[in-house]
Every structure is written in structure tokens, then in C-alpha cells.
């Protein structure tokens, strides 16, 4: 049964009327709108008044304390990765947790320092240090060309490094806030899960490589740019003879303590209410041993040095650096909000609440924007700490305030006690935190069995981010991922369908058994949208699957017709003409049976169910196919067209030559199209039989009549 649907008529509205209507709406609901905007920017105003103290507070306090304790060593260690002094990592985690409490919609995200972002910050800072004339081998702390800051004091390497980092953090925050305000969160869709996973794994290899010099106690320059990973390993092997034995032994002892305890925490996390804070224990023990045995003086072991207490005076970023670091801030901003939004959505789905991706971008952007004035650097949601927060009973964003209180205690009183802490211990903490990312290598065989293209994307992302650089590697990975999508649409799956016996379902006849083909009807399915990039592949597969090239068949038919007309024109008189016509028809039939193929198809049905859209080129291809097949006597029908494809066909004049029968060639299902095609074929056959009976011609009777004349 053919169904014809009538579309809704949409009222046209002029631009002036639309502006007036919106203005009137805003004016009448002004106060309500302001309240709504305020509540959307600060979600804490919605959930905090309804906070259930007895139900939520115990879990938030427990989770906040545990996460705060774990954050202390990671803050110090990741500061080293970002090319900063340890105190700045504590500042970053302290301020961003407080700001995120007010503006976040996610209850379980834990924002703060993240290894990949710290690596990217460190690379950007290192480039600016070199440009300003500072040494980057860790041996000197003064500028070659002394740089003056605003208060006319000499800015040493540490001062300039944090100046670059805060300026970078400022512009990253601005980017992320703008992305959230203009609702550009869709950009993160181009960072697929395999791409992000490969990028994080490749960056983890770079992080591991950059920390090896601390584990071995080597004084090596920081390598940046393409091939930095390989060049760093070359430097390490060339300087192995200069290894500091004290740092090496300390590193081995720290690894021997941290890795087994972390494995126990992971394996028995369902039975352990609180994971053992092994990193903090190692830091305390290592600091005490280093202090009482004077590792710095006796063995020249590298230590953290003086860590000040309290807070620095808020300071604006260095505006002169913004043009130099604006490009570096783009990938950092994208990775930061992609990690934050993806983790927020994962936890929201798991625990049954909703989050706003745009508000999450504004929240993390505001964290970075404000933190940049308080000597902090870029932060985002960190996977390991977020999982820890969730597993230890966090219920709301209040646990972030508890964690900040723990960090506040360190900033005000405890920080100077880490003076003798060896840098190699911080390097070990950073490396052992990469176990999850490095384990992704073991998942690649399973990924290959599931999707080969996604596995290739993972490897390209991993290799590009590790062997080239993090920024260029991310760009390469995104471009390659997009090319893979384009390739999939350029050469999609194309097949013929057959009917599942006893049903109205049609499936791939080359994939499933015991399907029944419809006699003299070909059903072709193209599993992609039809546009300019795959038009040739569409035609090629159509001709291949149906076994008919309409242009070639039409040419052979025309040639056979010309031969028939030429043979008929050679007759001399009526008797001879009639006799020759009979003879010629037999010859022509014999010749055309050889030169022109006999078609076993009277209808072609194109299943458009997988076509999300068609462009003007795709429309032209459908018109061409329809015309070519109908020239050789094959009718073309379309099935399963969505409304956008139908509108394109109608507006593009696909059925303009059929007059009132426009909708009779477009069907809502393949089964309707098959029934219509078979019914039309039967009607045509009956019509031809009636015509043959009315105009039947007996050759012998014709000759006899001619002789009588």
C-alpha cells in the first residue's frame, strides 16, 4: 500500500518580527531570566540549599580528606613536570577545587593538575625560557639576559617560568569560557575515545622519558619539538656514566614500595574502604631519610629546596607573552575541556544525574582564568583522582572544599618540611601514576578484533604524540581520524537485499543464508549518505551488484535496432518485403540475442535507509541512474527515504517528468516498493498479451493473401 503524507506548513517570519518577538520576551521576563542565568552559572545555588547533611556529609568529608592527602604528592610531582617549583602545583589544586565547587554540575569530577596538560605546559614554558635566554638543563637559575619584571627586580628562571605558565593559563581559561558561552562543545566530538586514549598513552611515554633524568640523577637539557623522545633517550644513554647512585637507589626503593601497594589497592578496592596512601608515606619517609643522611650535601642529590608558606600577591599575566603562547593554548584548552566533559558525562550516567557540558566548560575555564592570577597553572578533571573520589563515597561537590582545606594546611604550615625531598622520588610518583595509560598497549589486540580502523587511529595518535610532539601529534591524530571517517563514507558497504521468508524484512543476501530473491527485481542498499565524494563508488557498486551497466546495454540495444531497420529497408516489393520481414525478424532476433544482453530485471529498488542526506551531486547521480535504467526498460524506485532526502528530491526536480505520479516512485519501505513493482510488471504483461492477441500476424496467411491479390 502506497502512503502519501502531507507536510506541516511552517509560518514564515521576517527578521524584524523575530527580533521584536525575542525583545518582547526578554523584556517581560527580565528578572526571571536574570535569576535563571545566575542559577545556571552557579549551580551551587540550586543543590546546596537542598543538601542532606546526615546523608551526604560523612561521605563527602571522608572522600575529601583522602583525595586531599593523595593530591599533596601529585601536586608537587606534577609541578616538576610542568617546569615549575613545587609550591605552584599546590596553589593550582587549592584554588581550582574551590572555584569548581561553585560552578560545576558534576558531583564526582576532581579537578587539578593532570599529567598530560602539565607536560604540554612544560613544553611551552621551556620554549619561552629558551627564547628569553634561560638555560634549561637545570644547572643555572639566572637569566643570560636578565629580564626585569614590573617591580624592577631581576626575574630568575623560576620567576619567568611561572610568569609564562600563568599567562598561558589565562589565555586557556579565556578560550574555554568562550567555548562554553558560545556552546561550542561539539568540538570535543572530533576527539574520539580511541584518539584520546592513544594521545594520553603517547603523552605518557613522553612523560616517562622526561622523568628518567630525575630517577638517574642526570643533568640533561630538556628536549622539545619533533623527535624529543628519541633525542632524550639518546642523551640518557650517552650520560649513563654520570648516574647519581644515591638517586638511582632511592628511585628503585620507591618503585619497589609504590607499585606493589598500588596493585593491592586496585585489586582489593571493592573490599578496602580507603586505599592506602602509599605516595604520601613514601614522600614522608624519603624526606626524613634524605634530611638525616644529608643526601644533598653528601651525594649531590637533587632536592626540592625551599618551599614557601602562605600565598603570593595576586598578579595579572604578562600581556607581552600572550601573542607568543596563544597558539600553544589552543590544544591545551581543547584537551582540558574534553577530559573534563567526558569524565563528567561518564559519572553522571553511572549515578543517574544530569550535567551540562557547556557549563562544565565554563566552570573549568573559570578555574583556569582565576587561578592564573594566583600563581597557578592549567588544570582539568583528572581521571585517577576522580575515580578515587567516586570510590571513597563522594556525594556532592562539597568534597572539593574538604580537599582544599587539606591543601590549605600544607600551604600554611607543612610545605617547608619537604625541603629535603629528592626530585627522583617525585619522578617515581609521576611515572607510577602512568600505569593505567601504559596498560592500554595490552588492550590493542582486543581493540583490533572489534574495530581495525579505531585501532589504527589509536596507534597513529599514540605514535604522533610521542614521536613528533604533543601539539602536532594531536593535530595529526584529529586529521587522520577525520580522514578515516571520510574514507568510510567514500567506500561504504554496498549490497543487494533479499527477502526473509515469511516476513516483510529484507537483509543482505551475501551475509545471511536461506533468503529468497524477488524474481526480476534487484534491491540495492548503499550504507552511507550520497554526496560528491562517493558518487563514482555508488555507480560502480550499483552496476557491479546488479550486473547491468545501463549505458552499455542501451548502446547495444540501439545498435541492434539499427541493424533491424537496415535489414527491413532492403525489401523490393510487397511479397518480397513481407517474406523478407519474416526472415529478417528471425535473423535480427538471432543477432540481437548475441549482441544485446537479455535483461533478467524489470525493476530496480534503491534502499535509501542509510542515507542521512544527499547533496546536489548525489541528486544528479540519482537522476542519471533513473534516466539510464528507464531507457533500457528498467523502472527505478526509491525506498526508506528520510524527510530531508525527500525534500531534496522534490526540490531538485527528481520526479518532475512524471507529473502526478511523483510520489509513486518513493516508498516508505522496501516491501511496499517490491509489491508496487511486481503489480506494475503484471499489469504491463497483461497489456502486452492483449496487444499481441489483437495484432497477431501469421506469415503463411500473409503470403496466401498476397498471391490472391
Amino acid at each position: 500500500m502506497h502512503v502519501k503524507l502531507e507536510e506541516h506548513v511552517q509560518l514564515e517570519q521576517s527578521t524584524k518580527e523575530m527580533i521584536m518577538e525575542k525583545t518582547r520576551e526578554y523584556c517581560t521576563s527580565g528578572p526571571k531570566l536574570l535569576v535563571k542565568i545566575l542559577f545556571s552559572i552557579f549551580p551551587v545555588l540550586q543543590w546546596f540549599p537542598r543538601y542532606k547533611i546526615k546523608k551526604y556529609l560523612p561521605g563527602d568529608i571522608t572522600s575529601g580528606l583522602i583525595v586531599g592527602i593523595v593530591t599533596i604528592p601529585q601536586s608537587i610531582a606534577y609541578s616538576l613536570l610542568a617546569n615549575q617549583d613545587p609550591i605552584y602545583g599546590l596553589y593550582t589544586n587549592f584554588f581550582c577545587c574551590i572555584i569548581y565547587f561553585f560552578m560545576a554540575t558534576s558531583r564526582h569530577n576532581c579537578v587539578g593538575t593532570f599529567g598530560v596538560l602539565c607536560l604540554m605546559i612544560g613544553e611551552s614554558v621551556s620554549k619561552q625560557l629558551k627564547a628569553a635566554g634561560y638555560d634549561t638543563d637545570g644547572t643555572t637559575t639566572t637569566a643570560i639576559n636578565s629580564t626585569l619584571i614590573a617591580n624592577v627586580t631581576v626575574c630568575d628562571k623560576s620567576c619567568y617560568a611561572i610568569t609564562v605558565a600563568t599567562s598561558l593559563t589565562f589565555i586557556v581559561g579565556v578560550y574555554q569560557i568562550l567555548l562554553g558561552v558560545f556552546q561550542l562543545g561539539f568540538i570535543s566530538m572530533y576527539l574520539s575515545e580511541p584518539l584520546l586514549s592513544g594521545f594520553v598513552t603517547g603523552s605518557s611515554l613522553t612523560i616517562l622519558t622526561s622523568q628518567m633524568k630525575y630517577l638517574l640523577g642526570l643533568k640533561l637539557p630538556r628536549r622539545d619539538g619533533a623527535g624529543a623522545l628519541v633525542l632524550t633517550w639518546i642523551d640518557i644513554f650517552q650520560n649513563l656514566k654520570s648516574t647519581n647512585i644515591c638517586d638511582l637507589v632511592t628511585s628503585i626503593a620507591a618503585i619497589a614500595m609504590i607499585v606493589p601497594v598500588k596493585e593491592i589497592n586496585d585489586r582489593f578496592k571493592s573490599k578496602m574502604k580507603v586505599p592506602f596512601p602509599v605516595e604520601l608515606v613514601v614522600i614522608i619517609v624519603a624526606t626524613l631519610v634524605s634530611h638525616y643522611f644529608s643526601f644533598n650535601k653528601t651525594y649531590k642529590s637533587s632536592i626540592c629546596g625551599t618551599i614557601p608558606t602562605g600565598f603570593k600577591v595576586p598578579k595579572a599575566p604578562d600581556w607581552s607573552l600572550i601573542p607568543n603562547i596563544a597558539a600553544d593554548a589552543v590544544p591545551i584548552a581543547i584537551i582540558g575541556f574534553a577530559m573534563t566533559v567526558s569524565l563528567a558525562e561518564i559519572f553522571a550516567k553511572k549515578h543517574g544525574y544530569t550535567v551540562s557540558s557547556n557549563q562544565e566548560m565554563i566552570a573549568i575555564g573559570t578555574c583556569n582564568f582565576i587561578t592564573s592570577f594566583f600563581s597557578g597553572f592549567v588544570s582539568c578533571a583528572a581521571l585517577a583522582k576522580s575515580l578515587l573520589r567516586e570510590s571513597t563515597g563522594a556525594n556532592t561537590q562539597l568534597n572539593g572544599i574538604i580537599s582544599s582545606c587539606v591543601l590549605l594546611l600544607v600551604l600554611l604550615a607543612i610545605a617547608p618540611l619537604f625541603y629535603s625531598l629528592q626530585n627522583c622520588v617525585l619522578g617515581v610518583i609521576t611515572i607510577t601514576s602512568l600505569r593505567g595509560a601504559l596498560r592500554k598497549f595490552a588492550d590493542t589486540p582486543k581493540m583490533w578484533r572489534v574495530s581495525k580502523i579505531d585501532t589504527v587511529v589509536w596507534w597513529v595518535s599514540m605514535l604522533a604524540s610521542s614521536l613528533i610532539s604533543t601539539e602536532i601529534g594531536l593535530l595529526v591524530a584529529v586529521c587522520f581520524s577525520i580522514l578515516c571517517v571520510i574514507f568510510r563514507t567514500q567506500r561504504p558497504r554496498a549490497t543487494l537485499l533479499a527477502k526473509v521468508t515469511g516476513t516483510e524484512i529484507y537483509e543482505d543476501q551475501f551475509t545471511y543464508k536461506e533468503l529468497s530473491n524477488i524474481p526480476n527485481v534487484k534491491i540495492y542498499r548503499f550504507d552511507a549518505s550520497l554526496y560528491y565524494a562517493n558518487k563514482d563508488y555508488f555507480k560502480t557498486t550499483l552496476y557491479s551488484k546488479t550486473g547491468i551497466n545501463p549505458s552499455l546495454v542501451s548502446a547495444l540495444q540501439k545498435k541492434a535496432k539499427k541493424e533491424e531497420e537496415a535489414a527491413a529497408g532492403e525489401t523490393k516489393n510487397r511479397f518480397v518485403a513481407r517474406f523478407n520481414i519474416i526472415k529478417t525478424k528471425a535473423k535480427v532476433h538471432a543477432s540481437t540475442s548475441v549482441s544485446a544482453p537479455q535483461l533478467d530485471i524489470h525493476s530496480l529498488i534503491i534502499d535509501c535507509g542509510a542515507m542521512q542526506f544527499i547533496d546536489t551531486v548525489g541528486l544528479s547521480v540519482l537522476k542519471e541512474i533513473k534516466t539510464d535504467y528507464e531507457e533500457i526498460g528498467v523502472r527505478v524506485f526509491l525506498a526508506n527515504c528520510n524527510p530531508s532526502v525527500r525534500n531534496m528530491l522534490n526540490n531538485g526536480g527528481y520526479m518532475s517528468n512524471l507529473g502526478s505520479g511523483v510520489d509513486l516512485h518513493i516508498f516508505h519501505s522496501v516491501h511496499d516498493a517490491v509489491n508496487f513493482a511486481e503489480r506494475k510488471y503484471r499489469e504491463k504483461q497483461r497489456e502486452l498479451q492483449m496487444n499481441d492477441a489483437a495484432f497477431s500476424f501469421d506469415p503463411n496467411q500473409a503470403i496466401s493473401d498476397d498471391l490472391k491479390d
Side-chain angles (χ1 to χ4, degrees):
M1 182 180 69
H2 189 269
V3 178
K4 183 177 180 180
L5 299 177
E6 185 176 353
E7 296 183 2
H8 287 290
V9 178
Q10 297 183 355
L11 298 177
E12 295 184 0
Q13 191 177 28
S14 65
T15 306
K16 181 180 179 180
E17 292 175 347
M18 183 178 66
I19 294 174
M20 292 296 293
E21 182 181 345
K22 291 293 182 182
T23 305
R24 193 181 303 110
E25 180 182 345
Y26 288 139
C27 291
T28 54
S29 60
K32 293 182 179 179
L33 183 63
L34 290 176
V35 172
K36 183 179 179 181
I37 293 174
L38 186 65
F39 273 66
S40 63
I41 294 177
F42 298 101
V44 66
L45 299 176
Q46 300 180 34
W47 64 264
F48 194 67
R50 300 193 299 268
Y51 188 84
K52 300 176 182 178
I53 297 177
K54 292 184 179 180
K55 182 177 180 180
Y56 294 152
L57 189 59
D60 285 339
I61 292 178
T62 303
S63 175
L65 290 173
I66 295 171
V67 173
I69 292 171
V70 171
T71 301
I72 295 170
Q74 287 190 358
S75 301
I76 300 173
Y78 283 157
S79 297
L80 204 65
L81 184 60
N83 220 352
Q84 305 297 325
D85 290 341
I87 190 65
Y88 299 122
L90 295 171
Y91 289 156
T92 300
N93 285 277
F94 173 77
F95 284 107
C96 68
C97 285
I98 295 176
I99 300 166
Y100 197 73
F101 162 78
F102 288 100
M103 303 190 68
T105 58
S106 174
R107 304 174 190 173
H108 297 88
N109 265 2
C110 182
V111 296
T113 51
F114 179 55
V116 175
L117 293 189
C118 290
L119 172 67
M120 300 173 76
I121 295 166
E123 291 177 348
S124 181
V125 169
S126 181
K127 286 190 294 184
Q128 298 305 317
L129 287 174
K130 289 180 180 178
Y134 290 90
D135 292 334
T136 58
D137 58 356
T139 58
T140 61
T141 58
T142 58
I144 295 175
N145 53 344
S146 297
T147 304
L148 297 180
I149 57 174
N151 57 3
V152 200
T153 58
V154 176
C155 187
D156 61 9
K157 177 184 173 182
S158 173
C159 168
Y160 193 75
I162 190 58
T163 301
V164 174
T166 54
S167 302
L168 182 66
T169 304
F170 173 82
I171 193 66
V172 167
V174 171
Y175 286 163
Q176 291 174 333
I177 292 173
L178 291 176
L179 288 172
V181 169
F182 292 104
Q183 300 184 356
L184 299 177
F186 67 89
I187 295 176
S188 62
M189 294 188 298
Y190 295 100
L191 304 178
S192 64
E193 183 178 347
L195 187 151
L196 271 179
S197 176
F199 175 78
V200 171
T201 303
S203 300
S204 299
L205 292 177
T206 306
I207 294 172
L208 184 149
T209 302
S210 68
Q211 299 301 297
M212 285 302 298
K213 65 179 182 181
Y214 299 112
L215 270 65
L216 300 175
L218 300 176
K219 304 294 184 182
L220 300 177
R222 180 162 183 157
R223 297 281 189 174
D224 296 306
L229 183 140
V230 176
L231 294 174
T232 302
W233 280 106
I234 293 175
D235 291 341
I236 291 172
F237 284 114
Q238 288 178 345
N239 292 273
L240 275 178
K241 58 182 180 295
S242 303
T243 299
N244 188 304
I245 302 301
C246 178
D247 285 343
L248 178 61
V249 172
T250 304
S251 300
I252 294 174
I255 292 173
M257 289 182 62
I258 292 175
V259 172
V261 176
K262 276 182 168 287
E263 290 295 330
I264 293 173
N265 285 341
D266 291 342
R267 183 165 297 183
F268 298 101
K269 62 183 178 181
S270 59
K271 299 180 180 179
M272 299 172 63
K273 294 183 178 180
V274 178
F276 185 75
V278 62
E279 294 99 336
L280 185 62
V281 173
V282 168
I283 278 185
I284 294 173
V285 173
T287 302
L288 293 173
V289 173
S290 175
H291 174 73
Y292 285 107
F293 287 93
S294 302
F295 284 170
N296 178 246
K297 295 180 180 178
T298 307
Y299 303 105
K300 305 298 179 183
S301 181
S302 176
I303 60 174
C304 288
T306 302
I307 303 177
T309 58
F311 297 93
K312 289 193 172 185
V313 177
K315 186 177 66 173
D318 188 344
W319 306 110
S320 63
L321 288 171
I322 299 298
N324 300 330
I325 59 178
D328 293 342
V330 174
I332 296 176
I334 293 175
I335 291 296
F337 85 70
M339 294 297 298
T340 303
V341 171
S342 60
L343 286 176
E345 291 176 347
I346 289 172
F347 290 125
K349 183 178 180 180
K350 183 176 180 180
H351 293 276
Y353 61 92
T354 59
V355 295
S356 170
S357 58
N358 289 314
Q359 178 58 29
E360 286 296 314
M361 283 193 292
I362 294 175
I364 194 62
T366 306
C367 287
N368 291 322
F369 180 83
I370 296 178
T371 303
S372 67
F373 293 92
F374 294 92
S375 301
F377 49 85
V378 181
S379 62
C380 75
L383 175 61
K385 288 188 291 185
S386 298
L387 291 173
L388 177 62
R389 172 174 287 183
E390 182 213 15
S391 63
T392 51
N395 295 304
T396 67
Q397 296 91 320
L398 184 63
N399 55 62
I401 298 295
I402 307 299
S403 299
S404 293
C405 292
V406 176
L407 294 174
L408 180 63
L409 181 64
V410 175
L411 286 168
L412 295 179
I414 301 176
L417 300 179
F418 295 117
Y419 174 88
S420 299
L421 178 62
Q422 294 168 269
N423 286 334
C424 63
V425 176
L426 299 178
V428 168
I429 292 173
T430 301
I431 290 176
T432 53
S433 67
L434 305 175
R435 295 176 308 124
L438 297 177
R439 282 174 176 169
K440 294 294 182 180
F441 284 103
D443 296 336
T444 52
K446 180 181 178 180
M447 193 189 307
W448 178 262
R449 291 192 295 270
V450 175
S451 174
K452 293 179 175 57
I453 293 181
D454 285 346
T455 309
V456 173
V457 170
W458 188 92
W459 277 100
V460 169
S461 179
M462 187 275 297
L463 293 174
S465 58
S466 59
L467 297 180
I468 304 175
S469 68
T470 50
E471 296 88 352
I472 299 176
L474 179 62
L475 179 62
V476 170
V478 170
C479 293
F480 182 79
S481 180
I482 293 175
L483 286 176
C484 287
V485 174
I486 295 174
F487 177 77
R488 287 180 176 183
T489 59
Q490 276 187 311
R491 302 184 68 84
R493 179 172 165 269
T495 187
L496 293 181
L497 305 183
K499 186 179 180 182
V500 179
T501 306
T503 69
E504 297 181 0
I505 300 172
Y506 294 80
E507 283 292 350
D508 185 356
Q509 68 179 31
F510 303 109
T511 302
Y512 301 102
K513 299 179 180 179
E514 299 178 357
L515 300 181
S516 56
N517 288 310
I518 308 300
N520 300 320
V521 176
K522 300 289 186 182
I523 308 170
Y524 173 76
R525 180 178 175 87
F526 191 71
D527 287 342
S529 298
L530 181 58
Y531 66 113
Y532 67 93
N534 60 17
K535 64 179 181 65
D536 292 330
Y537 184 74
F538 177 84
K539 291 164 59 175
T540 302
T541 53
L542 175 62
Y543 298 160
S544 174
K545 297 295 182 181
T546 59
I548 298 173
N549 186 330
S551 300
L552 180 60
V553 173
S554 178
L556 293 174
Q557 288 180 345
K558 289 178 180 179
K559 182 179 179 182
K561 187 176 180 180
K562 287 182 180 180
E563 292 179 355
E564 181 180 355
E565 291 175 353
E570 294 177 357
T571 56
K572 302 289 185 177
N573 49 55
R574 190 169 62 174
F575 172 77
V576 176
R578 291 195 178 187
F579 182 79
N580 285 343
I581 287 174
I582 299 168
K583 187 176 179 181
T584 302
K585 280 187 177 181
K587 289 183 178 181
V588 170
H589 179 73
S591 63
T592 54
S593 65
V594 176
S595 59
Q598 297 296 315
L599 302 181
D600 59 349
I601 171 177
H602 59 72
S603 298
L604 170 65
I605 299 172
I606 300 177
D607 183 3
C608 304
M611 295 184 184
Q612 296 179 355
F613 68 91
I614 58 174
D615 63 359
T616 54
V617 178
L619 178 62
S620 300
V621 170
L622 290 178
K623 288 181 179 180
E624 178 186 345
I625 287 173
K626 177 175 173 296
T627 302
D628 291 347
Y629 273 96
E630 289 183 351
E631 280 186 1
I632 62 173
V634 178
R635 304 186 71 179
V636 179
F637 304 100
L638 304 182
N640 288 331
C641 298
N642 63 42
S644 64
V645 173
R646 285 173 171 270
N647 289 334
M648 187 67 178
L649 294 173
N650 292 331
N651 297 334
Y654 175 77
M655 311 296 285
S656 59
N657 61 330
L658 293 179
S660 61
V662 169
D663 292 328
L664 298 180
H665 286 66
I666 303 178
F667 297 86
H668 289 278
S669 70
V670 173
H671 189 67
D672 288 343
V674 170
N675 289 340
F676 182 84
E678 290 185 317
R679 186 172 69 252
K680 285 295 181 181
Y681 179 71
R682 289 193 297 268
E683 291 175 359
K684 186 177 180 181
Q685 289 298 107
R686 285 196 296 268
E687 183 180 348
L688 290 176
Q689 290 174 0
M690 292 175 62
N691 291 338
D692 288 344
F695 299 99
S696 59
F697 176 70
D698 186 354
N700 296 325
Q701 183 65 37
I703 295 173
S704 175
D705 293 341
D706 192 68
L707 291 175
K708 290 180 180 179
D709 292 338

